[in-house]
Amino acid sequence: MNKPELEEQRSAVPERDRYDLIIIGGGPAGLTAAVYASLLRMRAFLVTSNVGGQTVEGSKIENYMGYEFISGQELVKKFQDQLLQHNYLDHRITEITSVQSFENHFLVTDKREAQYEASAVIIATGMRRRLLNVPGEERLQRQGVFYQHMEEGALVTGHEVAVVGGGNSALQGASELSRICPKVYVVSIGEWTADLAVREEVESLGNVVALKGYAVEEIWGDRRVSAVKVKCQETGKERYLQVHGVFIEIGWRPFADLVSSLVDLNARGEIQIRPDCSTSCPGIFAAGDVTDAFGKRVIIATGEGAKAALSAHEYLMRREKEGM
């Protein structure tokens, strides 16, 4: 018998439109919060536009407790199975477009204009990819412009490619692509910031060309990518790379847009939280990479998700005692 898939639960329409708690986000923080909300017997609703968030793109996660090594996809699948098989709660795969605050409740609206009320909300929306925002990027997406080196590598086998970025994801991607591509250009605006072991591995590869101090100016191509124009930041000299693919790995930004007018954010756009995951707005809690919690790690996000659910439960219990 096949295990249930959260993505297949599109028919899991909520039995009610008023909840104690709505959890927005389906990454490690959101899924863990959902499991704990179920364990606490809360009337909770999980809503997310995708399952796993950026974790599913991780080629490997090392030293997550219980696993010396596990892929991001495998780990999210285990989270998902735990939720659906043992701690089920109402859920829906859709995109939330707004969160509104009223005197004693929140109104959450999705892209189909369905609305749900809750006394408390957990924001676990994680992060969204940063874009280059250069000519050709949007037009040539999936036509040679990619953001996931693992899944798209087969499309550029045997061709020269460029990887944009200098962090762990970019260099890990360059390392993997070097096995199937004759030449890999690594374009970074500054020095590489990846872990030392990752940098040393990539520096030892004979078919990787480091272009440090270069910025991408434009991506060329008719129906698919054929070249990339890069510019040296020191000299202003332009260079054209004849490549078949561009893999953009320049980081992520906190996706706090839904509640940016309701809660305090820091200079990086992260939701500021207290030790109990509460925010400046009573009833809104936040967990995971969207917050200013120290450390962007899966294991930290899961712990914060559990904490947020426990804190939301205590908040609701206090409200009940106060007759709110």
Side-chain angles (χ1 to χ4, degrees), residues 208-234:
V208 172
V209 178
L211 296 177
K212 299 176 183 178
Y214 281 79
V216 174
E217 295 284 299
E218 188 171 355
I219 300 173
W220 296 74
D222 183 10
R223 295 185 178 180
R224 68 164 299 109
V225 170
S226 60
V228 176
K229 181 172 77 171
V230 298
K231 183 177 182 180
C232 178
Q233 299 301 283
E234 182 177 351

Side-chain angles (χ1 to χ4, degrees), residues 185 220 227-230 238-242:
Y185 296 95
W220 296 74
V228 176
K229 181 172 77 171
V230 298
E238 294 179 346
R239 181 173 175 179
Y240 293 84
L241 311 177
Q242 305 298 318

Side-chain angles (χ1 to χ4, degrees), residues 149 163 165-177 186 192-195 198-203 205 208 249:
H149 58 268
V163 175
N168 282 328
S169 294
L171 296 197
Q172 287 172 355
S175 177
E176 293 178 14
L177 289 165
V186 179
W192 291 348
T193 58
D195 295 341
V198 179
R199 298 201 307 267
E200 290 177 342
E201 177 188 350
V202 174
E203 287 168 350
L205 299 172
V208 172
E249 295 278 4

Side-chain angles (χ1 to χ4, degrees), residues 4-211:
E5 297 282 348
L6 195 61
E7 294 91 336
E8 295 175 358
Q9 298 293 323
R10 295 180 185 273
S11 61
V13 178
E15 297 176 359
R16 62 184 73 82
D17 58 9
R18 180 67 187 259
Y19 289 87
D20 293 332
L21 173 68
I22 292 177
I23 302 163
I24 304 175
L31 293 177
T32 305
V35 167
Y36 273 75
S38 176
L39 291 169
L40 292 165
R41 300 295 187 265
M42 300 171 71
R43 296 195 307 275
F45 176 38
L46 170 67
V47 58
T48 180
S49 59
N50 64 72
V51 180
Q54 67 189 88
T55 304
V56 297
E57 298 181 25
S59 57
K60 59 182 180 180
I61 296 173
E62 296 182 276
N63 299 315
Y64 184 90
M65 290 304 294
Y67 302 95
E68 183 177 353
F69 162 82
I70 189 170
S71 74
Q73 290 180 332
E74 290 174 318
L75 186 59
V76 168
K77 184 66 165 60
K78 290 182 180 295
F79 290 167
Q80 182 175 296
D81 290 345
Q82 184 173 354
L83 173 64
L84 293 179
Q85 292 186 336
H86 306 293
N87 303 284
Y88 184 88
L89 49 70
D90 287 346
H91 60 271
R92 175 170 284 168
I93 305 293
T94 188
E95 183 177 350
I96 296 301
T97 56
S98 72
V99 176
Q100 296 171 275
S101 175
F102 294 92
E103 185 176 352
N104 61 353
H105 71 281
F106 298 93
L107 186 64
V108 175
T109 305
D110 70 17
K111 65 179 180 180
R112 290 172 286 194
E113 298 189 356
Q115 295 186 317
Y116 317 99
E117 290 185 46
S119 300
V121 176
I122 293 176
I123 304 297
T125 44
M127 307 181 87
R128 295 285 176 92
R129 284 192 174 280
R130 295 187 186 279
L131 305 179
L132 288 173
N133 293 316
V134 298
E137 179 182 12
E138 183 177 359
R139 180 174 60 83
L140 292 168
Q141 282 189 22
R142 302 287 299 173
Q143 304 300 319
V145 172
F146 306 116
Y147 300 91
Q148 292 180 260
H149 58 268
M150 287 179 59
E151 295 183 2
E152 315 297 353
L155 300 176
V156 296
T157 300
H159 298 278
E160 294 187 4
V161 298
V163 175
V164 184
N168 282 328
S169 294
L171 296 197
Q172 287 172 355
S175 177
E176 293 178 14
L177 289 165
S178 71
R179 302 186 186 106
I180 59 174
C181 299
K183 183 177 289 186
V184 179
Y185 296 95
V186 179
V187 182
S188 60
I189 198 76
E191 293 294 323
W192 291 348
T193 58
D195 295 341
L196 179 60
V198 179
R199 298 201 307 267
E200 290 177 342
E201 177 188 350
V202 174
E203 287 168 350
S204 70
L205 299 172
N207 62 337
V208 172
V209 178
L211 296 177

